[in-house]
Each structure stands twice: as structure tokens, then as C-alpha cells.
Amino acid sequence: MAAKIEDLGVFGLKFIQPEGVEKFGTDSILLSDFAARKLRPAFRVADLCSGSGIIALLLAARHPAYVASVELDPEAAEAARENARLNHLPIDILSADIRSAPLPPSSFDMVTCNPPYFQASSKVSPDEKRRQARTDAECTFFDVAGSASRLLKYGGTFFAVYRPERLTDALTAMRQCDLEPKTLRFVAHTTEKAPFAVLLEGKKGAHPGMTVAPPLTMQSEAAHVIYRGRQFH
């Protein structure tokens, strides 16, 4: 697979993003850092809607014993395999629908997902692959939450990033799928601007009770630590 090898500037990781495969952006970096707060040695982690594998890669580079990556697009899944090989990380990459991926149920400690944000009716792109990656025509948040709940152990954690304007849809789906919302954090470019993303944490089988964390602004010291001084788009 011919593609330029990039240096991610963290954990010594290298990465390729071939033409025709949806590029990762700010939201994926934010999500991986948000989830890493709860990551523990020997955790079994599943990343859904993985694209070229950036979140799985960043988590596997820390210390989980097993990471599985599920991506519907075969080209993106192959890019994820190449990224795992490039970094010598034993990530199990499946090219499959998250709703029927052949992974053992109730066997994961953590599930992450950067799902399609936009409603199927949105005019995102005439390109079929880009439409699939960015709208919920093929995969709704309810599908994501249901798949995560199936894979998680009781007490396991689910992490996702979503659009603030669709927050009600996400929280409703999580509760319906027994993933009780536990932490919410808005992300904005500056303190003067409205949030462009929301980070979500849910726990399977937990009692109600959610913490709203202080908002993260992209110009803050915390964001600089997350990005190690590098900007992603």
C-alpha cells in the first residue's frame, strides 16, 4: 500500500493515511486521550468504526494486553493492518460490520468509538465511501451503543466522541443499551466559541449519576499536553 509514512510525534508511532481512506482528525486524538485515563494494564480493548486505526494504535502503544479494531471499509481496515505492522503492535483488525463482528461478547474491559456524526439526510459528500464514514446511514449511534454493550463486561467502560447538537441522541442510546452515562466533557476551540465536540464515558450496568467535567479548549495547556504541540485537522 503506497502511502507517505508520517511521524505522529508520540510514543514513537508511525502512521500512513492512503488516498481514498478517511483521514483522522482532532476528535480521534481527543477520544484516545479521554479513554486512556481509565486504561489499565492487561485490559482488553475494542475500537469500533476504526478507520485507519489511529485510536487503536494510540491505545495499544500504552499497555493493554489485547486490542481489537473493527472497520467496515476493507481499504481502511487494510491501512489499519499496515499501521499495526509498521509499529509492531499486535492489534487484531477485523473488516466487518460492528453489529456482527466475530468478537466474543461480554469479554472486553473498554470499548471506544468515533462514530459517523451526521444524520443520513445530511448532504455531506456525493462520494459513497465518504458518506458512509461521515453519516449514520450505515451505522447509527444506537448501533454503536448496542455493539459496545454486547462486547463489554459488566462494569466495563464505553468512550465516544460526538457532536454537541446530537448529544440527546447519544445519551438516550447509551441508556437504552445499558451504558449509563458517567462523564461528559465539551470541547471548544476557544472559551468564546460554542463546543464543536463532546466526549462521553458510559459504564455498563452502572447506576445513574453523571459528572460534567470542565470544558476543554484547544488553546489550553491541557490541549497542548494531549497534542504534544502538534496540530491535527
Side-chain angles (χ1 to χ4, degrees):
M1 179 178 294
K4 179 183 177 182
I5 298 176
E6 300 180 50
D7 184 350
L8 288 180
V10 59
F11 304 127
L13 293 173
K14 309 295 182 183
F15 199 79
I16 62 166
Q17 299 188 89
E19 290 297 324
V21 173
E22 187 73 10
K23 308 298 185 185
F24 78 85
T26 297
D27 47 3
S28 293
I29 306 299
L30 291 167
L31 176 59
S32 65
D33 187 80
F34 187 63
R37 298 160 30 251
K38 298 293 180 73
L39 193 59
R40 299 292 181 268
F43 261 24
R44 288 173 56 85
V45 180
D47 181 51
L48 309 180
C49 306
S50 288
S52 50
I54 184 63
I55 295 171
L57 204 68
L58 287 168
L59 295 179
R62 292 173 186 263
H63 50 215
Y66 176 78
V67 177
S69 167
V70 184
E71 169 55 41
L72 184 62
D73 176 21
E75 289 186 47
E78 182 54 35
R81 291 188 188 95
E82 183 60 28
N83 282 320
R85 287 192 291 265
L86 192 62
N87 292 281
H88 309 290
L89 291 171
I91 303 171
D92 189 7
I93 296 151
L94 292 77
S95 180
D97 190 310
I98 63 169
R99 293 165 292 194
S100 55
L103 292 171
S106 305
S107 65
F108 288 87
D109 303 282
M110 177 184 289
V111 172
T112 58
C113 187
N114 181 358
Y117 286 161
F118 302 104
Q119 292 180 302
S121 58
S122 301
K123 295 181 179 180
V124 174
S125 172
D127 180 76
E128 178 65 22
K129 288 181 66 174
R130 188 167 177 80
R131 184 189 66 84
Q132 184 183 83
R134 295 178 66 82
T135 75
D136 62 7
E138 305 290 339
C139 178
T140 66
F141 199 96
F142 185 83
D143 293 328
V144 168
S147 300
S149 185
R150 176 176 62 85
L151 294 174
L152 282 170
K153 301 174 181 178
Y154 183 82
T157 48
F158 168 66
F159 294 92
V161 58
Y162 214 46
R163 290 282 183 175
E165 61 267 29
R166 303 201 68 190
L167 178 58
T168 301
D169 297 335
L171 295 178
T172 300
M174 288 170 67
R175 177 166 279 181
Q176 288 176 338
C177 295
D178 197 25
L179 300 175
E180 187 61 30
K182 302 305 293 181
T183 308
L184 177 157
R185 190 177 197 186
F186 290 106
V187 185
H189 290 292
T190 69
T191 55
E192 292 77 27
K193 291 188 176 181
F196 67 87
V198 59
L199 296 161
L200 299 166
E201 175 189 353
K203 188 172 184 178
K204 185 173 179 179
H207 294 296
M210 183 175 70
T211 298
V212 179
L216 174 68
T217 59
M218 298 307 296
Q219 296 178 345
S220 67
E221 182 179 347
H224 182 79
V225 170
I226 292 171
Y227 282 84
R228 275 72 176 183
R230 176 177 173 181
Q231 292 299 311
F232 298 94
H233 303 284

